[in-house]
């Protein structure tokens, strides 16, 4: 009986959802985050004057995440010059490591905007299974490309997506 | 119980249907993960025979956002739960579902939700799939931005424990004020930012104990501050809990307290972070008889470096909620390009020191009196629990070659951290050489050689890992972990395993085969024991 009930419930949810027309409206969810200085900001307010944004989820304990962001850091001035892109690095470190996240970003002299998602609300809202997970947004703030995981050389593909999003 | 779950699910579905005219404007997104393993019994490494032969953990999240409205459900399936996780994760269900509406800075959520007050000393509801930790609250929550700089939160709910909820009721309130934003005119030219916060959490659980008179309502209150001026960030939180006899603290009536503070100096190319904490009897659960990681309301972070290399993570620390003192210093420096140590590309060096000790306690022997259990001195420490001194140097040598060197000296009190007895402090020295060579723009070879020297416990280990990545889709890796220094000759075993993975966009499939050593897997100071195993592993993740 319970099984039947659960199947019916799932079907109902599925039918409601499949009734939706998936549109291009892939805007960011509205979630509260902290700046590295402890100020409160909202993810729906991420802006870059009509130019692309890269959002990358990382953590101080995640080696491939750091590899990805350090690889991009080397080319970031060129990326910015060519496309006007802005990179936002979202640390999912909890209270144990969040003070170190700001420190790490500065140790590595990153030019990114770094925000803290201590309880991973933004990670959940963005459907991130595990880090690193990187999103590319076009000038209208719509998600146009995303990738999970990072391997050496992978930042090239991110940049291809950024150029496409910038119309270049 | 289950019926109410489905009914509420139907409610969510009907609610979304009610918004049907606007549905095309909404966004549906979701993610899936399947972890499965086939187990071969292997008596040499202590891998038991698994009656089901293969086990699987699976998750699926569906989220819907339409302007100010959002809703979501999560399906979970443990058929049966994989080895090394709490077997109370059993069967399938929809343990997580919510609907939320955000209007004019007031956000109301009904159903399941996660939340954190301050650093989590009073309350933190969160999930971690790697640990199968999920203490989501099921109830209602309101978050209100009164005006710029003033934020209030309130919640009322029951905590998830596996596919049910724990018996206690949790109620909490949190307020935070950013003085500079709130008094924008007065502090306009002030270069120092001050943020203050406070929280109060109370739990209710009926007293059914035949012999003890237990408090049914137990409150925790905390205050916190965060002061930022230029490159300096100073923050701290103090929490106090009234008497809360529980299985964890041995049913003593002593109040609990915790203090956590951190000082960070950070500028481009140089960072120093100092942090310290003291925890005394701060286990706080919505079920006083719960054990392991079940029904925890608050979060007590470990102050130790979270290592990623397998041998550096061999002896990880877990927070001791009954009492500990700990501190950590973390320093990072970048030698600039063109300097003597910087070379052509610059060199990064990071030094980290952390230690944890027990409290300096005196046993009161008052079991038949007021049952405070012990008294603890404030400015002295007790038994050594853990220490880690590590140095990491990373350097890009040429366009094709980069490397990382790590040395770590870890002292580990197995008796306390793992609840064993009869072990001496395990002193281990770990060295790691990690080299990445880029064969072409897309193909890279990583070799990682590690060594752990120890005379106690399992003795010394050597690890060799080779990983070939082909951007953007493929990786192949092989790892051998060899316990060559085990004093029992028949336990000098090679744990060899291979893995191949394919990623395209947000789809990722990884297939592995081989032997896994037994070990402790931790996230954020919360740990689980993973038994040895031998067999195939499969991980599939996807999101949209």
């Amino acid at each position: 009986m319970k099984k039947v009930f659960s199947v019916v419930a799932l079907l109902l949810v599925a039918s409601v959802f499949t009734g939706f027309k998936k549109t291009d409206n892939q805007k960011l969810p509205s979630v509260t985050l902290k700046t590295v200085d402890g100020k409160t900001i909202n993810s729906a307010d991420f802006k870059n004057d009509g130019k692309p944004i890269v959002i990358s989820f990382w953590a101080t304990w995640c080696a491939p995440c750091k590899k990805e962001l350090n690889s991009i850091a080397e080319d970031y001035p060129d990326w910015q010059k060519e496309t006007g892109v802005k990179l936002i690095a979202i640390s999912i470190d909890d209270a144990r490591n969040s003070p170190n996240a700001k420190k790490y970003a500065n140790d590595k002299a990153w030019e990114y905007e770094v925000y803290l998602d201590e309880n991973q609300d933004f990670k959940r809202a963005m459907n991130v299974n595990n880090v690193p997970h990187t999103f590319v947004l076009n000038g209208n703030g719509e998600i146009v490309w995303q990738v999970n995981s990072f391997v050496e050389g992978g930042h090239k593909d991110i940049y291809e997506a950024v150029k496409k999003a910038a119309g270049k | 119980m289950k019926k109410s779950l489905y009914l509420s699910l139907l409610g969510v579905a009907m609610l979304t249907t009610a918004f049907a005219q606007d549905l095309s404007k909404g966004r549906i997104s979701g993610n899936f993960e399947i972890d499965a393993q086939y187990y071969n019994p292997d008596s040499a490494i202590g891998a038991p025979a698994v009656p089901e032969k293969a086990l699987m953990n699976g998750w699926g999240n569906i989220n819907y956002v339409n302007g100010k409205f959002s809703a979501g459900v999560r399906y979970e399936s443990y058929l049966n739960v994989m080895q090394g996780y709490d077997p109370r994760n059993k069967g399938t269900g929809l343990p997580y579902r919510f609907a939320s509406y955000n209007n004019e800075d007031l956000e109301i959520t009904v159903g399941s939700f996660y939340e954190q007050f301050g650093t989590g000393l009073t309350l933190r509801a969160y999930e971690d799939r790697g640990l199968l930790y999920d203490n989501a609250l099921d109830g209602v929550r309101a978050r209100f931005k009164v005006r710029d700089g003033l934020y209030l939160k309130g919640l009322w709910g029951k905590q998830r424990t596996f596919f049910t909820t724990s018996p206690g009721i949790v109620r909490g309130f949190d307020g935070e004020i950013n003085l500079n934003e709130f008094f924008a005119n007065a502090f306009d030219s002030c270069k120092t930012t001050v943020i203050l916060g406070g929280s109060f959490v109370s739990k209710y659980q009926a007293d059914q104990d035949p012999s003890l008179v237990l408090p049914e309502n137990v409150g925790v209150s905390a205050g916190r501050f965060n002061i930022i001026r230029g490159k300096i960030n100073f923050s701290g939180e103090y929490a106090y809990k009234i008497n809360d006899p529980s299985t964890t603290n041995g049913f003593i009536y002593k109040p609990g307290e915790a203090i956590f503070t951190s000082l960070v100096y950070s500028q481009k190319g140089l960072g120093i972070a100092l942090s310290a904490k003291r925890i005394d009897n701060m286990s706080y659960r919505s079920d006083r008889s719960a054990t392991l990681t079940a029904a925890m309301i608050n979060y007590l972070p470990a102050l130790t470096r979270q290592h990623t290399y397998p041998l550096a993570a061999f002896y990880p620390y877990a927070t001791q909620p009954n009492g500990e003192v700990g501190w950590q210093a973390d320093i990072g420096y970048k030698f600039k390009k063109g300097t003597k140590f910087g070379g052509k590309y610059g060199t990064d060096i990071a030094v980290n020191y952390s230690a944890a000790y027990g409290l300096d306690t005196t046993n009161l022997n008052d079991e038949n009196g007021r049952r405070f259990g012990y008294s603890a001195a404030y400015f002295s420490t007790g038994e050594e629990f853990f220490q880690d001194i590590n140095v990491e140097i990373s350097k890009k040598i040429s366009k094709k070659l980069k490397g990382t060197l790590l040395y770590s000296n870890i002292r580990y009190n197995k008796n306390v951290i793992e609840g064993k007895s009869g072990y001496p402090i395990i002193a281990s020295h770990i060295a790691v050489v990690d080299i990445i060579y880029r064969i072409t723009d897309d193909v890279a070879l990583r070799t990682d050689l590690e060594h752990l020297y120890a005379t106690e416990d399992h003795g010394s280990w050597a690890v060799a890992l080779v990983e070939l990545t082909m951007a953007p889709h493929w990786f192949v890796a092989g790892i051998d972990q060899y316990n060559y220094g085990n004093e029992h000759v028949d336990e000098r075993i090679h744990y060899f395993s291979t893995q191949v993975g394919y990623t395209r966009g947000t789809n990722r499939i990884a297939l592995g085969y081989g032997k896994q050593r037994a070990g402790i897997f931790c996230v954020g100071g919360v740990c689980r024991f993973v038994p040895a195993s031998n067999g195939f592993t499969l991980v599939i993740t996807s999101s949209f």
Side-chain angles (χ1 to χ4, degrees):
Chain A
M1 182 56 213
K2 273 183 180 166
K3 282 248 166 78
V4 175
F5 204 9
S6 65
V7 167
V8 169
L10 267 180
L11 280 177
L12 188 74
V13 173
S15 65
V16 170
F17 282 143
T18 46
F20 299 175
K21 201 171 76 190
K22 202 167 176 185
T23 66
D24 297 334
N25 184 0
Q26 299 278 303
K27 297 221 169 168
L28 290 182
S30 154
V31 176
T32 302
L33 298 164
K34 294 267 180 177
T35 69
V36 288
D37 292 336
K39 288 175 191 153
T40 301
I41 56 135
N42 194 302
S43 57
D45 298 334
F46 288 165
K47 279 192 188 74
N48 191 25
D49 292 333
K51 298 197 175 90
I53 297 177
V54 175
I55 295 180
S56 184
F57 284 84
W58 71 289
T60 57
W61 43 261
C62 164
C65 303
K66 293 192 279 189
K67 232 176 253 167
E68 171 176 0
L69 289 167
N70 289 326
S71 296
I72 295 174
E74 291 171 20
D75 299 338
Y76 192 52
D78 295 335
W79 289 22
Q80 283 187 304
K81 205 160 36 176
E82 286 162 27
T83 62
V85 68
K86 176 203 271 188
L87 194 147
I88 298 174
I90 307 286
S91 149
I92 60 161
D93 286 287
D94 64 28
R96 172 192 194 180
N97 285 317
S98 59
N100 292 345
K102 172 189 182 179
K103 199 190 72 64
Y104 185 83
N106 270 344
D107 290 351
K108 298 288 178 186
W110 288 349
E111 302 286 342
Y112 314 140
E113 283 181 18
V114 180
Y115 298 115
L116 307 177
D117 185 24
E118 273 195 356
N119 212 32
Q120 308 188 354
D121 293 328
F122 192 44
K123 173 177 175 258
R124 261 186 297 278
M126 295 289 280
N127 289 296
V128 171
N129 274 309
N130 40 41
V131 286
H133 192 125
T134 301
F135 297 85
V136 174
L137 278 61
N138 66 15
N140 298 324
E142 293 160 351
I143 299 162
V144 290
W145 189 85
Q146 52 180 308
V147 67
N148 175 221
S149 87
F150 176 79
V151 295
E152 200 65 36
H155 63 298
K156 264 186 0 189
D157 297 283
I158 299 170
Y159 192 49
E160 287 305 314
V162 169
K163 281 199 285 195
K164 213 168 141 194
K168 294 196 176 177
Chain B
M1 190 58 235
K2 280 215 164 160
K3 227 170 212 176
S4 69
L5 205 123
Y6 295 125
L7 281 177
S8 45
L9 178 75
L10 285 175
V12 171
M14 268 147 47
L15 210 59
T16 36
T17 318
F19 285 83
Q21 64 272 31
D22 292 324
L23 286 186
S24 61
K25 290 181 195 156
R27 176 174 182 230
I28 307 157
S29 63
N31 63 74
F32 299 95
E33 176 165 351
I34 296 157
D35 293 3
Q37 188 166 0
Y38 181 85
Y39 298 88
N40 293 317
D42 186 338
S43 57
I45 61 171
V50 173
E52 302 92 334
K53 291 194 189 297
L55 300 169
M56 184 276 301
N57 299 351
W59 299 265
N61 275 295
I62 303 285
N63 290 320
Y64 173 66
V65 181
N66 188 347
K68 294 166 176 174
F69 176 79
S70 59
V73 290
R74 188 194 309 130
Y75 174 80
E76 295 182 18
S77 181
Y78 307 104
L79 294 172
N80 280 326
V81 75
M82 291 166 74
Q83 294 267 295
Y85 296 97
D86 197 314
R88 287 176 285 180
N89 291 292
K90 203 178 173 98
T92 63
L94 294 162
Y96 178 84
R97 67 276 179 272
F98 75 95
S100 178
Y101 194 72
N102 188 339
N103 190 19
E104 300 288 332
D105 296 325
L106 174 65
E107 180 199 318
I108 294 182
T109 305
V110 297
S112 318
F113 57 86
Y114 298 99
E115 183 57 82
Q116 176 174 326
F117 292 167
T119 56
L121 292 183
T122 55
L123 180 136
R124 185 180 182 211
Y126 72 107
E127 51 146 351
D128 192 293
R129 257 184 231 175
L131 301 168
L132 277 196
Y133 182 103
D134 191 337
N135 64 344
L137 283 154
D138 187 3
V140 295
R141 174 185 62 190
R143 295 204 265 212
F144 186 40
K145 179 181 167 187
V146 183
R147 51 179 269 205
D148 276 347
L150 182 60
Y151 307 89
L152 303 177
K153 294 183 214 175
L155 57 86
W156 207 295
K158 291 190 97 177
Q159 267 187 310
R160 173 179 177 190
T161 46
F162 313 104
F163 280 112
T164 175
T165 52
S166 107
I169 297 170
V170 179
R171 297 143 298 181
F173 174 81
D174 183 80
E176 184 167 293
I177 184 165
N178 181 323
L179 295 179
N180 302 62
E181 287 176 9
F182 190 77
F183 301 107
N185 298 331
F187 284 91
D188 232 6
S189 57
C190 186
K191 283 183 185 156
T192 307
T193 303
V194 178
I195 301 164
L196 301 174
S199 60
F200 176 73
V201 177
S202 162
K203 63 159 176 172
Y204 168 81
Q205 185 185 7
D207 173 16
Q208 290 166 335
D209 194 281
S211 53
L212 295 171
V213 178
L214 298 171
E216 296 193 318
N217 288 288
V218 174
V220 178
S221 26
R224 61 180 187 270
F225 68 90
N226 188 359
I227 301 166
I228 304 124
R229 189 181 172 96
K231 294 163 182 166
I232 295 173
N233 188 336
F234 180 41
S235 63
E237 182 164 19
Y238 172 80
Y240 178 85
K241 182 184 71 155
I242 71 157
N243 67 85
D244 179 23
S246 69
T247 302
T248 307
N249 70 11
F251 285 91
I252 58 168
Y253 284 71
K254 188 182 193 294
E257 59 181 342
I259 187 162
F260 179 80
T261 176
S262 104
L263 177 67
V264 179
Y265 172 87
S266 183
Q267 65 173 56
K268 292 270 182 272
L270 170 69
I272 301 166
L274 307 171
S275 37
K277 67 164 177 183
R278 182 181 186 277
I279 289 166
D280 184 359
N281 189 23
M282 267 310 272
S283 166
Y284 186 49
R285 303 178 192 248
S286 56
D287 178 359
R288 59 174 81 85
S289 61
T291 54
L292 300 172
T293 58
M296 298 209 278
I297 300 172
N298 65 349
Y299 174 68
L300 306 166
L303 276 188
T304 57
R305 177 172 169 181
Q306 204 159 340
H307 285 286
T308 49
Y309 292 106
L311 287 185
F314 198 95
Y315 290 115
Y317 186 62
T319 307
Q320 301 301 310
N322 282 340
E324 65 169 30
V325 184
W327 52 84
Q328 178 175 218
D330 195 81
I331 299 165
Y333 184 74
K334 190 181 184 82
F335 291 99
K336 285 195 186 125
K337 293 175 195 176
T339 58
K340 193 176 171 192
F341 291 105
K344 192 175 170 191
Y345 297 97
T347 304
D348 295 311
I349 181 162
V351 180
N352 175 281
Y353 163 69
S354 65
Y357 286 85
L359 300 177
D360 180 9
T361 58
T362 310
N363 205 326
L364 297 175
N365 295 313
D366 57 352
E367 287 81 10
N368 300 314
R370 59 176 195 163
R371 286 184 73 96
F372 261 43
Y374 63 89
S375 69
Y378 227 97
F379 295 103
S380 56
T381 55
E383 191 182 357
E384 179 181 16
F385 286 175
F386 185 83
Q387 180 188 285
D388 181 7
I389 301 170
N390 60 74
V391 181
E392 183 178 311
I393 297 168
S394 45
K395 176 147 186 63
K396 183 168 170 179
I397 296 150
S398 72
K399 268 203 149 162
K400 291 195 171 281
L401 194 64
K402 38 184 179 180
T404 302
L405 299 175
L406 172 78
Y407 166 78
S408 178
N409 173 0
I410 293 177
R411 290 172 62 78
Y412 182 82
N413 187 330
K414 188 164 175 143
N415 298 339
V416 169
I417 299 167
E418 295 181 30
K420 305 265 169 73
S421 63
Y423 285 92
I425 297 267
I426 298 161
S428 63
H429 299 264
I430 300 113
V432 177
V433 180
D434 181 4
I435 305 279
I436 298 170
Y437 180 71
R438 286 180 76 165
I439 300 166
T440 68
D441 269 4
D442 296 325
V443 181
L445 183 72
R446 181 165 90 92
T447 54
D448 172 10
L449 302 173
E450 304 181 25
H451 186 260
L452 181 149
Y453 169 82
T455 51
E456 298 90 5
D457 203 24
H458 303 286
S460 297
W461 289 75
V463 164
L465 179 147
V466 179
E467 183 185 77
L468 186 72
T469 57
M470 285 156 279
H473 298 309
W474 290 94
F475 85 88
V476 187
I479 182 169
D480 184 23
Q481 309 197 47
Y482 180 31
N483 189 191
Y484 77 93
N486 200 307
E487 60 174 337
H488 305 288
V489 177
D490 58 335
E491 289 178 23
R492 291 178 186 165
I493 292 167
H494 286 274
Y495 293 81
F496 184 73
S497 66
T498 56
Q499 213 184 22
V500 55
Y502 177 78
T503 306
R504 197 170 68 201
T506 59
N507 294 332
R508 182 177 160 84
I509 299 171
L511 187 68
Y513 179 74
K515 291 178 188 176
Q516 312 284 335
R517 65 172 168 81
I520 293 172
F521 175 77
C522 300
V523 180
V526 178
C527 302
R528 72 182 172 92
F529 176 76
V530 183
S533 63
N534 180 351
F536 285 98
T537 57
L538 172 70
V539 179
I540 303 173
T541 58
S542 180
S543 68
F544 63 91

